[in-house]
Structure formats: C-alpha cells, structure tokens
Amino acid sequence: MPAPEPDASIQPRRRRLAAGLLGGGLLAPWWLGGCAAFDYRAPDAPEALARVPPLQPRPRLALVLGSGGPRGYAHLGVLRVLEDAGIQPDLVVGSSVGALIGCFWASGLSAAELDALSLDGGPLTVFDPWPFADRGWIIGQRLQDFVNTRLQGRALEQLPRRVLVAATRRSDKAPVFFSRGNPGVAVRASGAVPGIVSPVGIGGVEYEDGDESLPLPVSAARAAGADWVIAVDVSVRPGATPPTASAAQRLRDQRRRARIEGEAARADFLLHPDLAYDAGPWRSYFVDARRRGEAHARERLPALLTALFAARVAG
C-alpha cells in the first residue's frame, strides 16, 4: 500500500493511530518494541537473490499474491475458494502482505485457520510503533517474531509448499527475492512500507516493501519455471483514486498501476476483487475484504477450472 504523503500533520496522525490501536488492546507499549535500527546478521539470515533461479522440480502451478496492505485480507477469501475447488499450487510467490499470507499458507495453515487468525489480533495488527523514528514509525520486530512463532521456527525452505518472498533493495529500488532462511525477516523486509515501517537491514544492505518494485511478482513465478500462473491483484481498480487526492498521490497510484499491469499481463489467469480505495487495520475492513475476495473468486471459478483443464494443469 502506498505510503501517505509527508506533511506537517503526519506525526500527530501517526500518534493518534498508534493510540487508537493501543486502546484496542492490539499492541504492547511502544517502548517495549526495541530500537528502530535493525540489521540482521544471524546465520539464518535470508539471502537476497537478484534473480530467481529455475526451481527443480519445475513448478506446475504457481499462485502469486500481490501487495495491498489491509486489502490483502481478500487473499484469504480467494484461498478458501481454491481449497474448496481442490486447486493446489506447488509454488506461492508473494509481495508485502501477499508474502505474509503466502508464507502462512505455504506452512500448511488452511484458509479457514488464517481467517480465524486474522480475526484474533492477526498479523496486520501486530505493530510496534516507535514515535521518534525518522524512517518509519513501526519497527517490525513484533511482526517478525509473530511470523517465526506461528511457523514454529522453520526456515522458508522447510515449509511444506515452496514459497518466494519479493522485496525491494532500498538503495536502487531493484526487486529482490528470498527463498531460504528466516521467514520472519523476509516477510518483515517485504512489508517495510517507506515512511511507515522501518527498512530492514540484512548483512548491511537495507530492504523495503516489495510494493515499491513488484506489487504483483508474476515475473518471479515465471523465472522459477512455473508452467501456469494464477495471480491475485488486491490493489484498487484503475481510476479509483478519489478526485480529492493530491497530484503526488495520483502520480504514485499511476506508477503503481503501471507496475502491476506489466506483471498481470504475464499471468495465465488474473483474479482482481473490487476493493475500496480507503483501507485500514480494522476488523470490519478485514471481514469485508475477505468476503469480497471470496465472492470474486467464486464468480470466476468456472472460468478458472475451464482454463486449468484446457492447459492440463493438475489441481
């Protein structure tokens, strides 16, 4: 999800949001979060790949889950429909919130289990605000720990389903990919929204939100050798930017749409639920996004099954 515009009122808004989340019982006090500076150098640090190597065995069916912040809960509705239809991708590729949900699904958690998790103070509400940070008011350590705890300490390569996490190298905005190592660090890097979540250092190199380079990383699935790709775009529809939006916001939305459309064109089948422009970390929004994702996937399921059958791709 694009970062909000910086202006003189942004810090008070950040403080109000943090206070509201704290009041809802979703966060520990900010001073327990640790230091905003972060550089991960442990032996299990994920290695950033500039290119995705072909995987062996070659993936038959890849599922690509796009970025979108709270809109990503639409992914849960899509996953439920795929499960009900017996469609079983053998590779999951995710960017930002898509990486978060993709790693959980690759770990063996069902869509129903992920839905229950999301409604019980789930991963998009695990924030650790740091009001004095100058590069992001959320640290991200709590999200990293949440992911690693839920995945029972397993590395990315140890999950039952193969997974690729897309992030962005901060220095030059180039896409990078993680397929091995600590999943919490990889997911934290993939979701480090500029100006909101502090960038993540791994071995002295800083990474940020996958949305900044590949909001819908279909090209990564293709590079991995996938025969067939289903992509789920949870961004807002083209032209949905409100007329009251600033020129800078409009330009950001246009550039992001251009990045998405280039990737979406490389998918064999695209799912794009109709989601509201305004989104936030509220239970009501999570429920609505999940419902819209499921309704859209069920509407498109007959066409998807027909296409899979014609391509002779196993479910």
Side-chain angles (χ1 to χ4, degrees), residues 85-147:
I87 298 171
Q88 293 293 330
D90 52 355
L91 172 65
V92 182
V93 185
S95 181
S96 197
V97 68
L100 171 68
I101 293 174
C103 282
F104 280 134
W105 201 53
S107 77
L109 291 172
S110 68
E113 289 171 324
L114 287 174
D115 196 25
L117 185 63
S118 74
L119 298 178
D120 185 28
L124 285 192
T125 60
V126 183
F127 299 146
D128 40 15
W130 183 254
F132 306 107
D134 60 353
R135 296 194 299 164
W137 62 282
I138 294 172
I139 302 168
Q141 182 67 50
R142 292 194 69 195
L143 174 62
Q144 175 183 322
D145 294 342
F146 184 90
V147 171

Side-chain angles (χ1 to χ4, degrees), residues 33-59:
C35 178
F38 180 82
D39 187 20
Y40 197 78
R41 295 175 181 264
D44 68 341
E47 178 186 0
L49 303 174
R51 288 183 172 82
V52 177
L55 299 182
Q56 296 297 334
R58 180 172 175 162

